[in-house]
Every structure is written in C-alpha cells, then in structure tokens.
Amino acid sequence: MKGVAVVLCLLFALNVFFAQTKEQVIQIGNSYILSNTIIVKVKEQPSSVYNQKTLVDHLNKQLQQPIISRAEESFPPQKTFFKGSTSLQRIFRLTTNDKESPAEVAERLSKLPEVEWAEPKYVRKVCYDPNDEFFAAGKQPYLDVIKAKEAWNVTKGNKNVVIGIIDTGVDIDHPDLMANIFTNKKEIPGNGIDEDDGGKFVDDIHGWDFGGLNGTPDNDPREDSSYNNKYHGTHIAGIASAVTDNFFGLSSIGFNCTILPVKVSEDNFRDYDGYAEIIFGFEGIKYAVDKGAKIISCSWGGSNYSKFEQEVIDYAVSNGVLVVAAAGNNDSNESFYPANYKGVFSVGWTNNDDTKSIASNYGKSIDVMAPGTEIYSTWPIISGENPAFHYSSGSSMSAPLVAGLAGLVISKYPNLTIDQVKERIRAACDNIDQKNPSIYNYMLGAGRINAFMAVSENPIYSVRATEVNYPPVHINDTTAIGITFTNYLNPISNATVTISSNEPFVKIIKPTFETGPLGVMGTVKTTNNDFRFAITNDAPTDTTIYFLMKYEAPGYSDLQWIPVYINTSYVTHGNGKIIASVTNKGGLGFSDFKSNQHGDGFKYLSGNNLLFEGGMLYGTSPNKLDDGIRVTNRQSNDFKVLKSVSITDQNFVNKTYSLINDDNANSSKLGIKTKIYSFSFTQAPDDSYVILHFILENTTQSEIQNLFLGYFLDWNMSPTDFNNDITAYNAVDNFAYAYNGKQNGPVVGAALLSSQSLGYMGINNKWRVGEVIFEDGFDDEEKWYSISHGIVNGGANGDISFVISGGPVNILPCASEKFTFAVAAASNLDELRQAIKNSRSKYNSFITSIADKDQSVPHEFVLYQNYPNPFNSTTTIKFSIPSVNRNSISTAKVVLKVYDLLGREITTLVNEEKLAGNYEVKFDGSKLCSGVYFYRLTAGDFTASKKLILLK
C-alpha cells in the first residue's frame, strides 16, 4: 500500500543492447532512470553496517525480500582529503532484481532507519540541437559577439586552469585539442596507480571513461565511433578550449586553458536521436574535482530533483570548483537539472543577434545567456570528416563558452573565490531584454556574456542576497524577509534595493532597503522592519512565489529573484513528547499524499515517523460521504479550505485552527461547514497526545440525519517491517491502538472523546477485512462501512490501518455537532492507557470550554437562514460577527430588520453595537398575514438579506 505505483515504458535501445545488458533506460513521465539501479546514502553508523560487503545482506533482511543483488561504493575512500568526501563515501549504488520498480524500492529503502535517502539513478540527456549545415572553417561570429578578441588582449588563459568536460567523451588525439588535453602527472603509463584516488582509476593519463555497466570502466575517454556521427563531447571541448593561435583549425574562448576529458555516457545507451545518454554525469563531476579541475562544464540535463546529484554539486562547490551547466532546449521555464541546482551557474542560449533562441529555456534561475547558434568546433577524427570540425547549435554550445570564459577570469584573477568569478562574469553581461519580447524581461539572467568586461580592469559591482530567512507565511499575516547582502567585487558607498512582486495576492508593505557602504566581501543584514509583505485570502497553498529585487547605485544596476514559500497547508505541534503536523483539512501527518514531504508526520520522543496517512471522513450513506483521505493513489478533494490552518502557543498549549466546507463534493455534498481545532500540551501528564476537535455546522435548511464521523489512521509502526504491525481495540477503556509485534514500543492509540456512540474497524491494508479491500483503493462504500458499523472486529495484523468513529447524530439547520478524538503515543500499552485517560480528563475540563469560546468569536460575517422556514408564528434568525483579527475582540454596529415584499419595514430586531460573536434572535410573526418576507443584516460594511415564509 505504501509503494508508489509507476508505469515504466522503454525509452529506446538497439536490439543488440537488449541481448547484451540487463540495465535499461526507462521513462517515467518526463524523467529517465536506469533500471535495476538505486542510489542510496546510509546514515553515519559503524562501518560494518554500510560496508559494501555486508550492505546487501543487511538491507535485504530489513526489506524481508532478496531484492538487492549488489552494492558498490559510489565514491571509494581516497588518500587525498577533499572537503565533504567522507559524506560522499556513505553513498552506494545498488543493483536490484528485474521484478522490482526502482522507484518503489527506493521509497521502501528511504524509510529504513539506517538510510538517509534513496532514489532511482537518473539519466540525463545532452542539450543538443543537431544542424547539418557545414561552413568553411574559421566562421565564428559568436566570438566577436562576446568580445573574445578584446579579452585575449588582457589574458590568454593559463595551462594550470583545468576545465572538466563531463560529457560523451573527447577525441584526445584531435590536432586542435591535443596540446590542451590534461595529463595526469601522478600516473605512470602502463602500470601507474594514482595513490590520491586509491588506485581506482588506473592509467587515467588523459581522463577517464565511466562506462562499464556491461564491463569495466576504462582509461579511454574518447567518443565511440559506432553511431553514425552522433557526437557531442569533442565539440564541447573545442568550444571551451581548443588550441588557439596555432595556425590550424579554430579559436576558442579558453585559449590556453587545459581540458580534462571525462566520459560519463554508456556507448550502448542511446536516445531516440541516437545520441549517447549521460549515465554517470555526477560521478564524473566528482572525479574532475578530485583531479584538480577549477571549472566543470555540463552540457546535459533533465527534469526531477535528485539529492544524490545536489550532494555532488555541494561537494564541488565546497572545494572551490565552478560548475557551469546548460539551461536546456525546451523553450520552458520549468526546472532543469543540473542547471537549477543550488551552486550551479546556469547558461541559456542566444542567437548571434542577442535574441533568445526559440528553443532555449529561460526563467528566474538563469544566471547568464551565451551564443549557442551555429557554433563551429572540433569533431572527432574518427568521424571520417575532413576537416574534423563541425557546426552545431544548442545550450550545449553556450555552456562551454561560459566555462572557457571562466578559465580566462581565473587566469587573470587567480585569488578570486569561485563566487567572485561567477559574479565577474554575471555582472559584466550586456543586458539584452530590449532585444527580446517583453515576456522574457528579467527571465534571461544578467544578459549575454561580455568576455572583455569580465577580465578587464574596469570596476564591476555586484551586491547579492546570499542568505534569505523568513518565518512561516500565512494568509493576512505580515511577514518580514530577513536577508543578508554580500558585496563581491568592488567597494560601494550605498545601494538601494527595491523588492516587488507581480502576484495579485501579495501586498508589499516595506519595499526598499539601503545597504550603506560595503567593502569587498562586506555584508549587511536587514531587520524585521525591512522588506515586509502580506498575502491575501486568495493566495494558493504550498506555493513558491518569487520577489524581484532591483539594485541601484551610481554606475550600477542589477536584479535578483528571491523565492519565498508561502501559505503552507500544515502546521506542526512539537513542544511535548509528540511531534504531529495538522493540515488545512484536519489531516494528521502530511498534506501531500503519497509523497509525504509537506509535514513532519507523527513522532514520539523524536523517533521515526509512525504515521503514513491520517484524515477525517463523514457521511450519512455510501452516496453521501465526504472525506479528505485516500481513494487510490490520491486523496479525495471533497473539502474546500475556507481558512488555512494556523497555530498559536499560549500558556503551555499549542492550538491550531482551520475552516473547511464540503463544497467540492459535488453530488455527495451534505452542506456542512467544519471548524477544526487541534490541541497539544507541553507539560506532563498531557504531553503525549494530540486532541482533534471538529465542530460540524449544518448550513442547509434541512435536517441532516444519520451522520457518522470517523478518523482514519494508517500506521507504520516500524519503518522496515510493515507486515508485523498489529491493531486492536481495548474494550475496557474504549480506545484503538497499534504497535509492531516484533519490536519493543512505541505504541499509538486513538479514542473518541465526545459523547457519540463509538465505532472501530481494524484494517489489513492488503487483505479483505469486513467489507474493506484496500488492494483496489478505498471507495465511498467501504469508507461508509468503516464508520457506520460500530465495533466491527477485534483488530488486524500486517500492514495496518484503523478507523475510529462516532455516530449516528442528527443536526438541525444552523445547528452544530462536536466530534473530538485523541491520538496518543507511549512506550508501552499501560502508558498509552493512562495517556488516553488523561486526554479524556483534559477534554472534559478544558478543551470544550476553549473551543466554545473560540466558537463565540467567528472569523467571518454570516447571516444564516431562519429556522424553521416556512414557520408558523415564530422563527429563529442567527448571525455571526467576526473579530477584526485573530487575537482580539472587536465590536460592530449591527442592524437587523424585517421587510415585506414591497420593501416596507415591518420591524427592527437589532439596532446596537455588538461584540464579535454568534447571535440568535426570535421573530414573532403572529400578528402578520401569511406570505413572503425578507430580513436584512447590516454590520459595518457587510450587508446580507434572506427570505422567510410565514404560513398560518
């Protein structure tokens, strides 16, 4: 039940490939992964636990299946110490059997206590737009566009600056590359072993080939010659640093910089167009860092974020290496990796007239643009072409142009940090917004690179936001963004920073900040009075918005996008023994089933998360059932959020509140508005449970009959052993509980605290229990059965869930019904029993009064339909007056009058100042004739009218 169901479709392969290899490249949506392969990082533990010789047996035992056949260290120990290398040594590449989905196995592995994370092995595509046109050698107008010749008058690069070409291989014998190809001086040809890498890369004289899924990786980084001129890496290498000023071939921006060829493709793995796919790109990045590369060029990528890949990027950045990556050729502003990873320099593709290529990606994460159209560069001699040069286009060609420029900057300014190198390139760009359609304004980074400005002695300025902090952002709250600014290049007397947003639901309250004087690498921080904003009621939940920051100073103008995550769909109790997230819709644990990333779950004593899913459901029949829990691989969307969940902390009590109705339920809608409260306590003996309190209000004109409300909880009592979980019902103390039958503690439980008749159903998630079959989902008929049949069975074992419920009840129009549950955890059953008793006592003495008090302070104006209607003689009219804000009580001038059909005033029922609260008044129509009348409420700016019918 916990696995992610995926449909795997074969991308492309030759028939010979199927016959020779077990691994395949498979497609899931827009992503590509390697079959039978998982990347896993284990937590810091005794080496015996994660030694590759013992890891297979250990993980298979935890999974209770022989799924994993092999484990390899992704990055073995090495003699030379690099910052972050010990962390990477806990990453392993696992080989699994053919029957298992890598995504499903990775999800199961990620829940093991020894595992920090697990994910499929992503395959990336080269960013390539092939072009068959061939022009005479030496046609390189893009070098004039970026002012390369002027830059070479300042510096021609340096042999000691190594650029790693992480790609499909490089023709190291090409006459226009040979003199600039890296040579590993620590290797002895024929029998050399570089002690720095532990002898793993034997004879890596001129780089390395990471292929070897069907054999052993070797020391030949050349491109393969068998695939009909489908080359890439050699072309990239020539753009970055082909040998220049040698009376042969072409010129390159990097001029004298050294090329380190790293082949990270597998020759038999080809995409639809026949180009080699990038299998080991990030292993190649790590290799290049360890071999001394200062710049790494990546002309490939794909969708889907990877923790493994980000860790390798972090490793490179922490060791002072600049990673340059192509932004992609999808004409999209969607995320593209590695270009979108934190720390990577992202490069988009322009034509030679500074217009964005029609295919180039764009967006807020782009750093710079560079020419990528009709780029003339080296081509493998094995291609048979003469001369061995070729034209190609794409962001693949733009990235090495920036990598080569970075080589010039480092050669000219060897003492700059890698961040300062990036900023020299970025801040020296020519703005090209005016040459492009307005839809791309601020979406093309700092503009097109200018090599001369980047290396010249002219003063360049760059102030950047380097650290951004903010508290949880909720509707109607005022939030301050805390920002640390760093000045990278030259002293500045002052910069004015202005923040703005195009989002209609964002209100900027304090938009400007003055940095004051800043020296080189000087910093300044904003205060809580700077950069304040609020979001309105129509703001979407769980959304990242971007603020545009503009920098202005004499001789300096710049911009930067700042992401801010707003309106979270959950808040978390966390001050007692329990950590528990509560969602907008009254769910427990997480708000993003099945990913379970939005929330902190349900934990006891800061242990592992114990809860896979928790949520509320109610109904009067199988056809009238509304809920926010699973259907199959998604959750029901019956509930509409009227007020997002918020949390307050007062007097050792954490309290949350949200408001929903069932407007999204279509034909099953009952017309119920639900106020949702939850409470946790920071002091013993009440610190081991959470109370969930639901107030259901009938907003219709008819009585709701035979209503049951239940709370569903799917427990994972062991992160590895779902099959031995047990749920049961304690008939003496009237609560449900769950535990793992093969481990000591913890134990969790749930009880109905309110006065309805109790129901309980224990569910095995894989087999039939009562009328519930989880294998095919959880439909409304099964949900109805689970809440409406009282105590159905004594329990269940295996991968378990349970439902605890109350009912039936009837709710009159405008009336309410309260349902309250406790969810508790303890070390053993006796402690759990006591925690449940404590929750009942707290409910009786405290919770009801708190909730009732809150209920008397509404959050919106409401005029309800009178009841009864039609009426004979007398009827009741109810209305609500809200507080101005959640923390105070306010008043409003309230007028309530009754009129006949002609608009003539019959009577005034209310005409006075009223405190925020809920009110009801009686209307006596005994002296009136039968007919249709109207009543109108005016309170401040609020006015509403409803019809009432008098029948005698």
Side-chain angles (χ1 to χ4, degrees), residues 601-894:
F602 185 94
K603 302 174 183 178
Y604 176 64
L605 296 178
S606 299
N608 292 316
N609 173 50
L610 304 172
L611 184 65
F612 187 70
E613 182 188 11
M616 184 258 291
L617 62 162
Y618 58 66
T620 59
S621 70
N623 297 322
K624 289 289 185 179
L625 189 137
D626 302 331
D627 69 284
I629 62 175
R630 74 185 64 176
V631 180
T632 50
N633 289 321
R634 62 174 180 84
Q635 285 183 321
S636 171
N637 192 38
D638 290 341
F639 297 137
K640 178 181 179 180
V641 178
L642 303 179
K643 187 179 188 308
S644 298
V645 64
S646 60
I647 189 167
T648 56
D649 182 5
Q650 295 179 349
N651 299 324
F652 309 108
V653 180
N654 280 321
K655 179 183 68 174
T656 75
Y657 171 77
S658 63
L659 181 66
I660 64 173
N661 63 22
D662 56 2
D663 280 359
N664 294 341
N666 299 320
S667 61
S668 66
K669 176 181 174 179
L670 288 167
I672 292 175
K673 182 186 293 184
T674 305
K675 296 177 179 179
I676 304 170
Y677 299 87
S678 69
F679 303 88
S680 68
F681 306 90
T682 62
Q683 294 184 329
D686 300 306
D687 54 354
S688 57
Y689 59 81
V690 173
I691 289 179
L692 302 170
H693 186 65
F694 303 93
I695 303 175
L696 278 64
E697 178 189 340
N698 179 2
T699 64
T700 73
Q701 298 184 45
S702 302
E703 184 177 21
I704 297 175
Q705 298 179 337
N706 194 44
L707 179 77
F708 292 84
L709 183 144
Y711 208 83
F712 168 78
L713 295 159
D714 182 352
W715 296 103
N716 287 354
M717 297 308 299
S718 165
T720 62
D721 185 17
F722 303 147
N723 293 325
N724 285 298
D725 285 351
I726 297 170
T727 177
Y729 173 68
N730 184 313
V732 175
D733 295 303
N734 293 324
F735 67 91
Y737 60 99
Y739 63 98
N740 184 270
K742 289 193 174 182
Q743 69 180 29
N744 295 322
V747 183
V748 295
L752 177 69
L753 304 185
S754 48
S755 59
Q756 299 86 8
S757 296
L758 173 69
Y760 162 80
M761 173 178 279
I763 301 169
N764 182 305
N765 293 342
K766 295 184 178 179
W767 307 109
R768 180 187 292 270
V769 177
E771 297 297 319
V772 177
I773 308 175
F774 258 32
E775 286 287 282
D776 62 352
F778 199 12
D779 62 34
D780 284 355
E781 185 172 351
E782 294 166 336
K783 291 171 181 175
W784 169 248
Y785 186 93
S786 73
I787 65 174
S788 64
H789 280 65
I791 300 173
V792 175
N793 55 54
N797 58 70
D799 183 5
I800 60 95
S801 306
F802 66 69
V803 176
I804 190 161
S805 60
V809 298
N810 300 331
I811 309 178
L812 293 172
C814 302
S816 299
E817 180 75 16
K818 302 172 186 176
F819 292 84
T820 309
F821 301 90
V823 183
S827 298
N828 54 60
L829 190 57
D830 287 338
E831 290 182 6
L832 182 67
R833 183 183 293 110
Q834 186 60 51
I836 295 295
K837 289 182 178 179
N838 293 337
S839 70
R840 295 188 195 280
S841 175
K842 181 65 71 172
Y843 170 72
N844 291 327
S845 66
F846 177 73
I847 298 301
T848 53
S849 63
I850 290 292
D852 287 342
K853 180 180 178 181
D854 272 20
Q855 191 181 12
S856 68
V857 184
H859 297 271
E860 60 181 338
F861 286 105
V862 181
L863 177 63
Y864 297 97
Q865 187 64 53
N866 64 300
Y867 183 80
N869 190 41
F871 68 100
N872 183 0
S873 299
T874 62
T875 187
T876 299
I877 300 173
K878 293 184 177 182
F879 59 90
S880 298
I881 306 300
S883 174
V884 171
N885 62 63
R886 69 180 67 167
N887 296 316
S888 66
I889 305 296
S890 57
T891 64
K893 178 63 181 295
V894 178

Side-chain angles (χ1 to χ4, degrees), residues 237-389:
I239 296 170
S241 196
V243 180
T244 303
D245 201 25
N246 63 343
F247 299 102
F248 175 78
L250 53 84
S251 302
S252 73
I253 182 65
F255 212 103
N256 287 323
C257 294
T258 295
I259 291 297
L260 169 59
V262 186
K263 183 176 180 179
V264 293
S265 61
E266 186 77 24
D267 291 331
N268 287 338
F269 285 69
R270 299 274 163 171
D271 63 20
Y272 285 117
D273 296 317
Y275 292 100
E277 293 176 301
I278 303 300
I279 309 292
F280 300 109
F282 292 84
E283 290 86 344
I285 290 174
K286 202 265 184 182
Y287 170 87
V289 172
D290 295 349
K291 293 300 175 183
K294 292 299 295 181
I295 304 146
I296 288 174
S297 183
C298 303
S299 290
W300 40 266
S303 59
N304 276 80
Y305 177 90
S306 162
K307 293 180 180 177
F308 166 67
E309 295 175 355
Q310 180 66 70
E311 287 214 20
V312 175
I313 296 297
D314 293 343
Y315 175 78
V317 172
S318 68
N319 284 284
V321 177
L322 173 61
V323 181
V324 179
N329 306 334
N330 309 112
D331 187 28
S332 168
N333 61 359
E334 299 296 321
S335 295
F336 188 81
Y337 301 102
N340 276 51
Y341 285 129
K342 181 181 179 182
V344 173
F345 207 42
S346 174
V347 184
W349 163 23
T350 57
N351 302 311
N352 288 329
D353 61 357
D354 285 342
T355 59
K356 182 189 89 72
S357 164
I358 191 172
S360 178
N361 288 352
Y362 58 95
K364 300 176 178 69
S365 63
I366 299 291
D367 287 303
V368 297
M369 305 291 288
T373 302
E374 297 277 325
I375 303 298
Y376 192 59
S377 186
T378 47
W379 208 243
I381 298 173
I382 53 176
S383 69
E385 295 194 29
N386 188 20
F389 300 94

Side-chain angles (χ1 to χ4, degrees), residues 408-442:
L408 295 186
V409 174
I410 293 174
S411 300
K412 170 64 177 176
Y413 301 102
N415 295 323
L416 294 184
T417 68
I418 223 61
D419 285 332
Q420 289 175 305
V421 171
K422 287 196 295 186
E423 285 310 303
R424 281 204 72 89
I425 297 172
R426 194 194 61 77
C429 284
D430 293 336
N431 188 295
I432 58 174
D433 281 351
Q434 297 302 315
K435 298 182 180 181
N436 286 276
S438 59
I439 60 171
Y440 299 123
N441 281 356
Y442 314 126

